[in-house]
Amino acid sequence: MGPACLDVDVIESQDVGFDAYITNHCGRTVYVQVIIGWGPDSGCYPVANKKARVVSYRGVFGVYEDTVFC
């Protein structure tokens, strides 16, 4: 999910929550936010071109929904 120039891999945690690995292929620095169903959305984080960022969520009810520009 998310914009086409981002690679997003979501790995479920063994306890609760997930880690979203976001890699930027947009050609510029972008700001991203992870949308979480049944939980608070992440903050807005910069990801430089050709770099990756991990956004982690630890909560009982939250599930990954999407990654969006912010």
Side-chain angles (χ1 to χ4, degrees):
M1 288 190 192
C5 62
L6 298 177
D7 287 333
V8 181
D9 293 312
V10 179
I11 308 297
E12 298 292 324
S13 170
Q14 294 203 2
D15 298 321
V16 293
F18 61 85
D19 296 313
Y21 295 85
I22 303 163
T23 305
N24 177 3
H25 300 286
C26 299
R28 61 184 169 80
T29 296
V30 295
Y31 290 80
V32 298
Q33 179 179 36
V34 174
I35 306 302
I36 301 169
W38 301 96
D41 296 338
S42 77
C44 185
Y45 300 108
V47 184
N49 186 45
K50 304 292 184 194
K51 299 293 181 180
R53 173 176 288 272
V54 177
V55 177
S56 297
Y57 172 76
R58 296 296 177 259
V60 177
F61 298 110
V63 295
Y64 175 85
E65 281 194 3
D66 202 0
T67 300
V68 298
F69 292 133
C70 52

